[in-house]
Amino acid sequence: MTEAPAAPKARRQRHDREIIALAVPAFGALVAEPLFVMVDSAVVGHLGTPQLAGLAVASALLMTAVSIFVFLAYATTAAVARRVGAGDLAAAIRQGMDGIWLALLLGIAVIAATLPTAPWLVQIFGASDTAAPYATTYLRISSLGIPAMLIVLAATGVLRGLQDTRTPLYVAIGGFAANAALNAGLVYGAGLGIAGSAWGTVIAQCAMAGAYLVVVVRGARRHGASLRPDSAGIRASARAGVPLLIRTLSLRAVLMIATAVAARLGDTEIAAHQIVLSLWSLMAFALDAIAIAGQAIIGRYLGADDAEGARQACRRMVQWGVVSGVVLGILVVASRPLLLPVFTSDHAVHSTLLPALLVVAVSQPIAGVVFVLDGVLMGAGDGSYLAGAMLVTLAAFAPVALLIPTVGGGLTALWWAMTLMMTVRMLTLWLRMRSGRWLVTGATR
């Protein structure tokens, strides 16, 4: 009589241990990129508002160029985790190596496209005449680090699928420390200005990619997986990533529209938007740590033909997401007097930034559900649904955001539109989770 209620409690405790073991280290690795941007924002912000505005436009373009290929991490995590659940480690790592080769090829292509078009991209994105030269300089230099960034994505996906989030944490810590030191030294010590910030990020990213390659290559040799590029495997990796590419392009379109609208509101608004977006990204990646745990855990359960275990893990992770969102929102409100002076001493930027930051704090519980369910469905390989859901979200957000310069409301109204976007995402993902159609078992989907 007393043991029946203990079984659910024991399952929750087991899921909690799994989530904590994967999510805590994953958090450190996930926040590496927004921390890179935050360091750049803090260092460049004290050069002046035009420089910070230029960084805002360039970093949004750069992160778009990189983030559209985030499927290199997400799809690889899900596929590798399924094979881990099925007990086929050699095949798992082989697929991961194909993803790394694909990352290198894509990175080279992005450099070739970005270098000659940088001034045009900055202009199209709405940078002012004072901010455009800084944006162009930062974008051109930073694009040289894109192949390294994509290799980091692919290699991280392999390790997450193998249920290893500690190694990415160690690499991320080293990369962040190197980036901070290089930025300070090159921007102020060497007097390179915004160009020094870009070079510091490139060097740090290349060092991180090298560290990941050492770890993955050792694992491939240990399990007998080939290191040579396989054209069929590379094509298969690319095809598997297409739905997630559509999903990510739609999400990046949302962020690009938001930045373009902020740029047209003025230099003060775009500078404030850059700071809010940096903090929002940091919190998003913090919540995504639970989602990364979800990708690895859900993929492993489904690969082991345990649909009920996957369902229970999903429910527990949603609870974690809500609580984490509430905590993050409270932290933002409590720490805002300390946060603002870190990024800029411009009081006009402070006044514009504060109400938008409060909107972000209120929306964090919604974000907690969104990022967790996004990760769960990625872990299940449900990319086609994610693509369609994000297209619906983009269609709801775009007309609202684009009306803001006309109807007024400034940056605060823009971030209310971002909250609308997250609410639509939450509804579409929740409906899919409730349907159970994502619970497809087996070593491959």
Side-chain angles (χ1 to χ4, degrees):
M1 297 291 294
T2 59
E3 291 182 4
K9 181 178 180 181
R11 285 196 298 268
R12 287 195 300 271
Q13 290 175 341
R14 185 178 71 251
H15 291 316
D16 288 346
R17 287 193 297 270
E18 289 182 327
I19 293 168
I20 292 171
L22 291 171
V24 172
F27 170 75
L30 282 169
V31 300
E33 199 58 54
L35 282 175
F36 275 31
V37 177
M38 287 180 69
V39 167
D40 289 356
S41 299
V43 172
V44 172
H46 290 286
L47 292 174
T49 298
Q51 288 89 335
L52 184 59
L55 173 65
V57 173
S59 62
L61 286 164
L62 181 67
M63 296 322 302
T64 298
V66 174
S67 296
I68 60 175
F69 302 117
V70 75
F71 70 84
L72 292 165
Y74 292 158
T76 302
T77 298
V80 171
R82 277 183 178 266
R83 285 164 174 77
V84 168
D88 192 353
L89 291 177
I93 297 177
R94 171 64 265 179
Q95 183 167 359
M97 289 303 304
D98 291 334
I100 290 172
W101 282 109
L102 176 63
L104 178 61
L105 294 174
L106 291 172
I108 294 171
V110 173
I111 289 178
T114 303
L115 286 177
T117 60
W120 176 77
L121 290 171
V122 167
Q123 181 181 11
I124 291 297
F125 216 65
S128 68
D129 291 340
T130 56
Y134 299 110
T136 301
T137 296
Y138 190 92
L139 180 60
R140 277 181 165 158
I141 296 172
S142 293
S143 68
L144 300 177
I146 288 176
M149 296 180 192
L150 299 191
I151 289 172
V152 165
L153 287 177
T156 301
V158 177
L159 295 178
R160 289 174 183 165
L162 293 171
Q163 318 293 294
D164 175 12
T165 56
R166 291 184 179 273
T167 299
L169 169 62
Y170 301 146
V171 176
I173 291 172
F176 172 71
N179 182 62
L182 286 166
N183 266 264
L186 294 175
V187 171
Y188 296 113
L192 296 180
I194 196 170
S197 178
W199 279 117
T201 301
V202 169
I203 295 168
Q205 291 284 359
C206 289
M208 291 175 67
Y212 274 117
L213 287 175
V214 169
V215 174
V216 174
V217 167
R218 285 178 179 172
R221 289 174 175 168
R222 184 165 58 250
H223 293 285
S226 174
L227 298 175
R228 296 180 179 179
D230 176 69
S231 58
I234 293 172
R235 288 194 299 270
S237 295
R239 285 194 299 270
V242 168
L244 290 180
L245 176 61
I246 294 171
R247 170 258 182 201
T248 304
L249 283 171
S250 301
L251 178 57
R252 294 310 303 182
V254 165
L255 299 179
M256 288 180 69
I257 289 170
T259 302
V261 169
R264 283 164 173 78
L265 295 174
D267 278 3
T268 298
E269 285 76 9
I270 185 60
H273 176 74
Q274 168 64 13
I275 296 171
V276 177
L277 188 60
S278 296
L279 293 168
W280 183 83
S281 297
L282 176 61
M283 290 184 288
F285 277 87
L287 293 170
D288 214 20
I290 306 172
I292 293 301
Q295 291 179 34
I297 293 170
I298 296 298
R300 193 187 73 235
Y301 273 121
L302 295 178
D305 297 322
D306 187 357
E308 183 57 28
R311 188 191 297 273
Q312 292 169 1
C314 172
R315 289 172 181 166
R316 191 57 176 165
M317 283 181 282
V318 169
Q319 294 170 0
W320 275 74
V322 173
V323 172
S324 299
V326 171
V327 171
L328 286 172
I330 293 172
L331 287 175
V332 168
V333 173
S335 62
R336 67 188 189 279
L338 301 175
L339 288 173
L340 303 187
V342 171
F343 293 99
T344 179
S345 56
D346 190 326
H347 293 291
V349 175
H350 287 184
S351 298
T352 304
L353 168 64
L354 183 57
L357 198 58
L358 293 177
V359 173
V360 170
V362 170
S363 69
Q364 286 311 293
I366 297 172
V369 176
V370 168
F371 286 106
V372 167
L373 290 181
D374 205 41
V376 165
L377 296 184
M378 285 181 187
D382 202 13
S384 296
Y385 182 84
L386 289 172
M390 199 61 227
L391 286 171
V392 170
T393 301
L394 173 61
F397 169 78
V400 175
L402 292 173
L403 281 174
I404 288 172
T406 301
V407 301
L411 190 66
T412 303
L414 177 59
W415 277 94
W416 276 119
M418 290 287 285
T419 301
L420 169 66
M421 178 271 295
M422 294 299 288
T423 303
V424 174
R425 286 186 73 189
M426 182 180 67
L427 291 175
T428 57
L429 296 174
W430 182 263
L431 289 173
R432 185 62 166 182
M433 187 274 287
R434 294 283 294 175
S435 75
R437 295 177 182 175
W438 54 278
L439 292 164
V440 179
T441 59
T444 59
R445 182 179 171 91

CSV table of all heavy atoms in Angstrom, one decimal, residues 89-123:
chain,number,residue,atom,x,y,z
A,89,LEU,N,27.8,2.5,-30.7
A,89,LEU,CA,28.7,3.7,-30.5
A,89,LEU,C,29.5,4.0,-31.8
A,89,LEU,O,29.7,5.2,-32.1
A,89,LEU,CB,29.6,3.5,-29.3
A,89,LEU,CG,29.0,3.5,-27.9
A,89,LEU,CD1,30.0,3.2,-26.9
A,89,LEU,CD2,28.2,4.8,-27.7
A,90,ALA,N,30.0,3.0,-32.5
A,90,ALA,CA,30.8,3.2,-33.7
A,90,ALA,C,30.0,4.0,-34.7
A,90,ALA,O,30.5,5.0,-35.3
A,90,ALA,CB,31.3,1.9,-34.2
A,91,ALA,N,28.7,3.6,-35.0
A,91,ALA,CA,27.9,4.3,-35.9
A,91,ALA,C,27.6,5.7,-35.5
A,91,ALA,O,27.5,6.6,-36.3
A,91,ALA,CB,26.6,3.5,-36.2
A,92,ALA,N,27.4,5.9,-34.2
A,92,ALA,CA,27.1,7.2,-33.7
A,92,ALA,C,28.2,8.2,-33.9
A,92,ALA,O,28.0,9.3,-34.4
A,92,ALA,CB,26.9,7.1,-32.2
A,93,ILE,N,29.5,7.8,-33.7
A,93,ILE,CA,30.6,8.7,-33.9
A,93,ILE,C,30.9,8.9,-35.3
A,93,ILE,O,31.3,10.0,-35.8
A,93,ILE,CB,31.9,8.1,-33.1
A,93,ILE,CG1,31.6,8.1,-31.6
A,93,ILE,CG2,33.1,9.0,-33.4
A,93,ILE,CD1,32.7,7.5,-30.8
A,94,ARG,N,30.7,7.9,-36.1
A,94,ARG,CA,30.9,8.0,-37.6
A,94,ARG,C,29.9,9.1,-38.1
A,94,ARG,O,30.4,9.9,-39.0
A,94,ARG,CB,30.6,6.7,-38.3
A,94,ARG,CG,30.5,6.6,-39.8
A,94,ARG,CD,31.8,7.0,-40.4
A,94,ARG,NE,31.9,8.4,-40.8
A,94,ARG,CZ,33.0,8.9,-41.3
A,94,ARG,NH1,34.1,8.2,-41.5
A,94,ARG,NH2,33.0,10.2,-41.6
A,95,GLN,N,28.7,9.1,-37.7
A,95,GLN,CA,27.8,10.1,-38.2
A,95,GLN,C,28.2,11.5,-37.7
A,95,GLN,O,28.1,12.5,-38.4
A,95,GLN,CB,26.4,9.8,-37.6
A,95,GLN,CG,25.3,10.8,-38.1
A,95,GLN,CD,23.9,10.3,-37.9
A,95,GLN,OE1,23.7,9.3,-37.3
A,95,GLN,NE2,22.9,11.1,-38.3
A,96,GLY,N,28.8,11.5,-36.5
A,96,GLY,CA,29.3,12.8,-35.9
A,96,GLY,C,30.4,13.3,-36.8
A,96,GLY,O,30.5,14.5,-37.0
A,97,MET,N,31.3,12.5,-37.2
A,97,MET,CA,32.4,12.9,-38.1
A,97,MET,C,31.9,13.5,-39.4
A,97,MET,O,32.5,14.4,-39.9
A,97,MET,CB,33.4,11.7,-38.3
A,97,MET,CG,34.2,11.3,-37.1
A,97,MET,SD,35.2,12.6,-36.4
A,97,MET,CE,36.2,13.2,-37.8
A,98,ASP,N,30.9,12.9,-39.9
A,98,ASP,CA,30.3,13.4,-41.2
A,98,ASP,C,29.8,14.8,-40.9
A,98,ASP,O,29.9,15.7,-41.8
A,98,ASP,CB,29.1,12.5,-41.6
A,98,ASP,CG,29.6,11.2,-42.2
A,98,ASP,OD1,30.8,11.1,-42.6
A,98,ASP,OD2,28.8,10.2,-42.1
A,99,GLY,N,29.2,15.1,-39.7
A,99,GLY,CA,28.7,16.4,-39.4
A,99,GLY,C,29.8,17.4,-39.3
A,99,GLY,O,29.7,18.6,-39.7
A,100,ILE,N,31.0,17.0,-38.8
A,100,ILE,CA,32.1,17.9,-38.6
A,100,ILE,C,32.7,18.3,-40.0
A,100,ILE,O,33.0,19.4,-40.3
A,100,ILE,CB,33.2,17.2,-37.8
A,100,ILE,CG1,32.8,17.2,-36.3
A,100,ILE,CG2,34.5,18.0,-37.9
A,100,ILE,CD1,33.7,16.4,-35.4
A,101,TRP,N,32.8,17.3,-40.9
A,101,TRP,CA,33.2,17.6,-42.3
A,101,TRP,C,32.2,18.6,-43.0
A,101,TRP,O,32.6,19.5,-43.7
A,101,TRP,CB,33.4,16.4,-43.1
A,101,TRP,CG,34.6,15.6,-42.8
A,101,TRP,CD1,34.8,14.4,-42.2
A,101,TRP,CD2,36.0,16.0,-43.2
A,101,TRP,NE1,36.1,14.1,-42.1
A,101,TRP,CE2,36.9,15.0,-42.7
A,101,TRP,CE3,36.5,17.1,-43.8
A,101,TRP,CZ2,38.2,15.1,-42.9
A,101,TRP,CZ3,37.8,17.2,-44.0
A,101,TRP,CH2,38.7,16.3,-43.5
A,102,LEU,N,30.9,18.3,-42.8
A,102,LEU,CA,29.9,19.2,-43.3
A,102,LEU,C,30.1,20.7,-42.7
A,102,LEU,O,29.9,21.6,-43.5
A,102,LEU,CB,28.5,18.7,-43.0
A,102,LEU,CG,27.3,19.6,-43.5
A,102,LEU,CD1,27.3,19.7,-45.0
A,102,LEU,CD2,26.0,18.9,-43.0
A,103,ALA,N,30.4,20.8,-41.5
A,103,ALA,CA,30.6,22.1,-40.8
A,103,ALA,C,31.7,22.8,-41.5
A,103,ALA,O,31.6,24.0,-41.7
A,103,ALA,CB,30.8,21.9,-39.3
A,104,LEU,N,32.8,22.1,-41.7
A,104,LEU,CA,33.9,22.8,-42.4
A,104,LEU,C,33.6,23.3,-43.8
A,104,LEU,O,33.9,24.5,-44.1
A,104,LEU,CB,35.1,21.8,-42.5
A,104,LEU,CG,36.4,22.4,-43.1
A,104,LEU,CD1,36.9,23.6,-42.4
A,104,LEU,CD2,37.4,21.3,-43.3
A,105,LEU,N,32.9,22.5,-44.6
A,105,LEU,CA,32.5,23.0,-45.9
A,105,LEU,C,31.6,24.2,-45.9
A,105,LEU,O,31.7,25.1,-46.6
A,105,LEU,CB,31.8,21.8,-46.6
A,105,LEU,CG,32.8,20.6,-47.0
A,105,LEU,CD1,31.9,19.5,-47.6
A,105,LEU,CD2,33.9,21.0,-47.9
A,106,LEU,N,30.6,24.1,-45.0
A,106,LEU,CA,29.6,25.2,-44.8
A,106,LEU,C,30.3,26.5,-44.4
A,106,LEU,O,30.0,27.6,-44.8
A,106,LEU,CB,28.5,24.8,-43.9
A,106,LEU,CG,27.5,23.7,-44.3
A,106,LEU,CD1,26.6,23.3,-43.2
A,106,LEU,CD2,26.7,24.2,-45.6
A,107,GLY,N,31.3,26.4,-43.4
A,107,GLY,CA,32.0,27.5,-42.9
A,107,GLY,C,32.8,28.2,-44.0
A,107,GLY,O,32.8,29.5,-44.1
A,108,ILE,N,33.4,27.5,-44.9
A,108,ILE,CA,34.2,28.1,-46.0
A,108,ILE,C,33.2,28.8,-46.9
A,108,ILE,O,33.5,29.9,-47.4
A,108,ILE,CB,35.0,27.0,-46.7
A,108,ILE,CG1,36.1,26.4,-45.8
A,108,ILE,CG2,35.6,27.6,-48.0
A,108,ILE,CD1,36.7,25.2,-46.4
A,109,ALA,N,32.1,28.2,-47.2
A,109,ALA,CA,31.1,28.9,-48.1
A,109,ALA,C,30.6,30.2,-47.5
A,109,ALA,O,30.4,31.2,-48.2
A,109,ALA,CB,29.9,27.9,-48.3
A,110,VAL,N,30.3,30.2,-46.2
A,110,VAL,CA,29.8,31.4,-45.5
A,110,VAL,C,30.9,32.5,-45.6
A,110,VAL,O,30.5,33.7,-45.8
A,110,VAL,CB,29.4,31.1,-44.1
A,110,VAL,CG1,29.0,32.4,-43.4
A,110,VAL,CG2,28.2,30.2,-44.0
A,111,ILE,N,32.1,32.2,-45.4
A,111,ILE,CA,33.2,33.2,-45.5
A,111,ILE,C,33.2,33.8,-46.9
A,111,ILE,O,33.2,35.1,-47.1
A,111,ILE,CB,34.6,32.7,-45.2
A,111,ILE,CG1,34.7,32.4,-43.7
A,111,ILE,CG2,35.7,33.7,-45.6
A,111,ILE,CD1,36.1,31.7,-43.4
A,112,ALA,N,33.1,33.0,-47.9
A,112,ALA,CA,33.2,33.4,-49.3
A,112,ALA,C,32.0,34.4,-49.6
A,112,ALA,O,32.1,35.3,-50.4
A,112,ALA,CB,33.2,32.2,-50.2
A,113,ALA,N,30.9,34.1,-49.0
A,113,ALA,CA,29.7,35.0,-49.2
A,113,ALA,C,29.7,36.3,-48.4
A,113,ALA,O,29.2,37.3,-48.9
A,113,ALA,CB,28.4,34.2,-48.9
A,114,THR,N,30.3,36.2,-47.2
A,114,THR,CA,30.2,37.4,-46.3
A,114,THR,C,31.2,38.5,-46.6
A,114,THR,O,30.9,39.7,-46.6
A,114,THR,CB,30.4,36.9,-44.8
A,114,THR,OG1,29.4,35.9,-44.5
A,114,THR,CG2,30.3,38.1,-43.9
A,115,LEU,N,32.5,38.1,-46.9
A,115,LEU,CA,33.5,39.1,-47.1
A,115,LEU,C,33.2,40.2,-48.1
A,115,LEU,O,33.3,41.4,-47.8
A,115,LEU,CB,34.8,38.4,-47.4
A,115,LEU,CG,35.5,37.7,-46.2
A,115,LEU,CD1,36.8,37.0,-46.7
A,115,LEU,CD2,35.8,38.7,-45.1
A,116,PRO,N,32.8,39.8,-49.3
A,116,PRO,CA,32.5,40.8,-50.3
A,116,PRO,C,31.2,41.6,-50.1
A,116,PRO,O,31.0,42.7,-50.7
A,116,PRO,CB,32.5,40.0,-51.6
A,116,PRO,CG,32.1,38.7,-51.2
A,116,PRO,CD,32.7,38.4,-49.9
A,117,THR,N,30.3,41.0,-49.4
A,117,THR,CA,28.9,41.6,-49.2
A,117,THR,C,28.7,42.3,-47.9
A,117,THR,O,27.6,42.8,-47.7
A,117,THR,CB,27.8,40.5,-49.4
A,117,THR,OG1,28.0,39.5,-48.4
A,117,THR,CG2,27.9,39.9,-50.8
A,118,ALA,N,29.8,42.4,-47.1
A,118,ALA,CA,29.6,43.0,-45.7
A,118,ALA,C,29.0,44.4,-45.7
A,118,ALA,O,28.1,44.7,-45.0
A,118,ALA,CB,30.9,42.9,-45.0
A,119,PRO,N,29.5,45.3,-46.6
A,119,PRO,CA,29.0,46.7,-46.5
A,119,PRO,C,27.5,46.7,-46.9
A,119,PRO,O,26.7,47.5,-46.4
A,119,PRO,CB,29.8,47.5,-47.5
A,119,PRO,CG,31.1,46.7,-47.6
A,119,PRO,CD,30.7,45.3,-47.5
A,120,TRP,N,27.2,45.9,-47.9
A,120,TRP,CA,25.8,45.9,-48.4
A,120,TRP,C,24.9,45.3,-47.3
A,120,TRP,O,23.8,45.8,-47.1
A,120,TRP,CB,25.7,45.0,-49.7
A,120,TRP,CG,24.3,44.8,-50.2
A,120,TRP,CD1,23.5,45.7,-50.9
A,120,TRP,CD2,23.5,43.6,-50.0
A,120,TRP,NE1,22.3,45.1,-51.1
A,120,TRP,CE2,22.3,43.9,-50.6
A,120,TRP,CE3,23.7,42.4,-49.4
A,120,TRP,CZ2,21.2,42.9,-50.7
A,120,TRP,CZ3,22.7,41.4,-49.4
A,120,TRP,CH2,21.5,41.7,-50.0
A,121,LEU,N,25.3,44.2,-46.6
A,121,LEU,CA,24.5,43.6,-45.6
A,121,LEU,C,24.2,44.6,-44.4
A,121,LEU,O,23.1,44.7,-43.9
A,121,LEU,CB,25.2,42.4,-45.0
A,121,LEU,CG,25.3,41.2,-46.0
A,121,LEU,CD1,26.2,40.1,-45.4
A,121,LEU,CD2,23.9,40.6,-46.2
A,122,VAL,N,25.3,45.3,-44.1
A,122,VAL,CA,25.2,46.3,-43.0
A,122,VAL,C,24.2,47.4,-43.4
A,122,VAL,O,23.3,47.8,-42.6
A,122,VAL,CB,26.5,46.9,-42.6
A,122,VAL,CG1,26.4,48.2,-41.8
A,122,VAL,CG2,27.4,45.9,-42.0
A,123,GLN,N,24.2,47.9,-44.6
A,123,GLN,CA,23.3,48.9,-45.1
A,123,GLN,C,21.9,48.4,-45.1
A,123,GLN,O,21.0,49.1,-44.7
A,123,GLN,CB,23.8,49.4,-46.5
A,123,GLN,CG,22.9,50.5,-47.1
A,123,GLN,CD,23.3,50.9,-48.5
A,123,GLN,OE1,24.1,50.2,-49.1
A,123,GLN,NE2,22.8,52.0,-49.0
